[in-house]
Amino acid sequence: MKPRKIKDGIYWVGAVDWDRRLFDDLIPLPDGTSYNAYLIQGSEKTALIDTVDPTTSHVLLERLSQLNVERIDYVIANHAEQDHSGTLPQVLERYPEAQVVSTPKCKGMLVDLLLAPEDRVLAVDDGARLSLGDKTLEFIHAPWVHWPETMLTYLREDKILFPCDFFGSHLATTDLYVTDEGRVYEAAKRYYAEIMMPFHKIIQKNLEKVQGYEISLIAPSHGPMYDRPEFILEAYHDWVFGDPKNIVVLPYISMHGSTLAMVDHLVDSLVENGVTVERFDLAATDIGKLAMALVDAATIVIGSPTVLTGAHPNVVYAAYLANALRPKVKFVSIIGSYGWGGKMVEQLAGLIPNLKVEILDPVVVKGHPRSEDFAALDKLATTIAEKHETLK
Ligand code: FEO
């Protein structure tokens, strides 16, 4: 792909990574991703907004050559993470006159992470403006989307917001703009769940800040651009501010069928009580799907057998992950089975201190569940339904 023109003097010069399937050796990327960089040519100065992942440096440099860019005055580093800053050293080498522009905190991180030359990094205050001649960049500090040093860049004359990770989606596509809102909603929600949700309280403030700007186009650094900005702004508003919904997320493992029998029964009972359930067999699930489900859920019920006196390791991982992602859930319960004893409930409860939740009575049984155990699951389902009613 060649550079793609957005408007006169504004080009997409990023890289699409079709085959990447894992980010940070942690996050599944079922649809690949892109690292978007943007070139802004004003009447007097030229700026590059973000760079690209170092694995695709050659793509960015080639695009700049294709546009015959002989001089870059400013490289705007909205975020220090290497998928956006990783090609900074090569850009600075090719364009020796270029100055990097970042928040003060980002400046320190660029020096630490990339060994960027300190004297070439200009730290800017929140609200600072930079003239490129007939175009003006305004910098909006937006900490914790999703690192502490992040900022957004607003092109005032064209009303374009360049928010880097904020509002992004891991989606490799030839579409420059969103064409299929359903598909992008899914990818952006997954991205929000995995990357942004732990900071949703702080993101509330950043979202309010952004809504003070007139925006005609949102150009993130992952995924397609939003030429209908209200689509993603409204979605974020729901994810960040919305009340938890009448949904139970049920991640579980069952080794010999006892926990599975409990899960099956509880799902049926919850459905009979009007509660939506999203269940995940942790032996096979895409952990990103689980993260997405946590965005809206009011309750998590964790299902586990007992292994060597504790929960199954996959369940421990899911509990650890839920705790780290800090979803808006209000209630948690634990169900499962044991053969001869153990401390599974205490262990799992101890893994979720970040979740400000009410723990509902666990149902943990010896061996295969019996009629009284199924009755206890019915009671749990009724309790959950009643608790959810209080959220409306
Ligand atoms: Fe896309 Fe936080 O980097």
Side-chain angles (χ1 to χ4, degrees):
M1 263 193 284
K2 293 184 175 171
R4 299 179 76 176
K5 184 174 175 178
I6 298 168
K7 292 177 89 168
D8 283 346
I10 306 174
Y11 295 88
W12 174 86
V13 289
V16 179
D17 198 340
W18 296 95
D19 300 321
R20 190 165 180 177
R21 286 293 172 269
L22 206 54
F23 198 89
D24 291 344
D25 280 341
L26 173 66
I27 297 168
L29 300 180
D31 299 309
T33 191
S34 63
Y35 320 108
N36 301 330
Y38 301 92
L39 187 76
I40 316 291
Q41 294 174 313
S43 55
E44 294 172 15
K45 305 279 187 185
T46 295
L48 177 67
I49 298 186
D50 292 323
T51 70
V52 295
D53 190 88
T55 56
T56 55
S57 296
H58 59 288
V59 178
L60 172 61
L61 295 176
E62 175 62 17
R63 297 208 199 291
L64 295 173
S65 295
Q66 288 168 330
L67 286 170
N68 299 313
V69 177
E70 292 180 352
R71 180 185 172 94
I72 289 178
D73 298 284
Y74 304 108
V75 183
I76 313 302
N78 282 322
H79 178 28
E81 193 167 9
Q82 290 88 336
D83 52 325
H84 309 292
S85 67
T87 301
L88 203 51
Q90 291 94 319
V91 172
L92 292 181
E93 189 179 342
R94 183 189 280 193
Y95 298 98
E97 65 288 343
Q99 266 193 305
V100 181
V101 178
S102 73
T103 65
K105 195 177 278 283
C106 186
K107 175 175 180 172
M109 293 177 79
L110 293 172
V111 171
D112 288 341
L113 298 177
L114 297 164
L115 309 180
E118 200 169 345
D119 59 352
R120 292 186 67 181
V121 186
L122 176 68
V124 289
D125 292 333
D126 185 25
R129 294 180 184 180
L130 182 65
S131 174
L132 306 179
D134 60 351
K135 295 187 187 299
T136 312
L137 302 178
E138 180 172 333
F139 306 109
I140 305 164
H141 287 201
W144 296 109
V145 293
H146 60 121
W147 279 13
E149 88 305 1
T150 42
M151 72 174 187
L152 327 176
T153 298
Y154 180 64
L155 177 52
R156 293 186 59 80
E157 291 76 7
D158 298 279
K159 301 180 173 53
I160 302 176
L161 184 70
F162 299 93
C164 199
D165 278 346
F166 202 18
F167 307 125
S169 62
H170 282 310
L171 194 57
T173 171
T174 55
D175 293 343
L176 193 54
Y177 300 93
V178 173
T179 55
D180 179 345
E181 287 191 347
R183 184 176 186 219
V184 176
Y185 181 93
E186 184 93 354
K189 186 173 184 180
R190 173 189 275 262
Y191 187 87
Y192 167 80
E194 294 165 336
I195 308 281
M196 300 289 172
M197 187 159 62
F199 313 106
H200 72 266
K201 288 282 182 201
I202 303 175
I203 288 176
Q204 288 179 346
K205 293 189 178 64
N206 289 321
L207 200 54
E208 283 167 350
K209 204 168 177 181
V210 164
Q211 286 172 333
Y213 287 80
E214 191 181 346
I215 298 169
S216 64
L217 179 68
I218 294 179
S221 292
H222 295 292
M225 297 189 294
Y226 302 93
D227 52 1
R228 202 174 75 77
E230 59 271 26
F231 157 62
I232 193 67
L233 291 172
E234 285 167 9
Y236 258 74
H237 195 276
D238 180 38
W239 301 334
V240 167
F241 286 102
D243 291 327
K245 297 182 171 64
N246 181 25
I247 298 171
V248 168
V249 168
L250 207 172
Y252 71 95
I253 285 281
S254 183
M255 297 194 300
H256 298 292
S258 298
T259 302
L260 179 60
M262 298 176 74
V263 167
D264 284 340
H265 188 90
L266 181 62
V267 170
D268 285 346
S269 193
L270 284 165
V271 170
E272 280 171 17
N273 279 278
V275 179
T276 299
V277 186
E278 299 205 40
R279 59 184 272 180
F280 297 91
D281 179 351
L282 293 169
T285 199
D286 169 347
I287 213 75
K289 287 264 188 196
L290 173 60
M292 274 174 74
L294 291 174
V295 173
D296 298 320
T299 298
I300 305 174
V301 177
I302 304 168
S304 181
T306 304
V307 184
L308 300 175
T309 74
H312 189 285
N314 289 22
V315 177
V316 170
Y317 176 56
Y320 178 87
L321 188 72
N323 184 64
L325 293 177
R326 297 172 184 256
K328 293 179 290 189
V329 289
K330 299 289 186 195
F331 311 103
V332 167
S333 190
I334 297 162
I335 64 171
S337 170
Y338 63 93
W340 51 89
K343 297 271 185 191
M344 180 178 74
V345 169
E346 295 86 336
Q347 180 198 32
L348 289 175
L351 284 171
I352 52 172
N354 292 343
L355 304 184
K356 305 304 173 207
V357 292
E358 179 182 347
I359 303 281
L360 306 179
D361 286 345
V363 182
V364 179
V365 308
K366 188 172 186 187
H368 197 278
R370 299 168 171 82
S371 57
E372 62 269 27
D373 304 316
F374 290 125
L377 291 168
D378 289 336
K379 183 164 182 293
L380 175 59
T382 308
T383 303
I384 290 171
E386 288 169 359
K387 294 285 182 186
H388 286 194
E389 278 293 319
T390 66
L391 299 174
K392 288 177 183 169

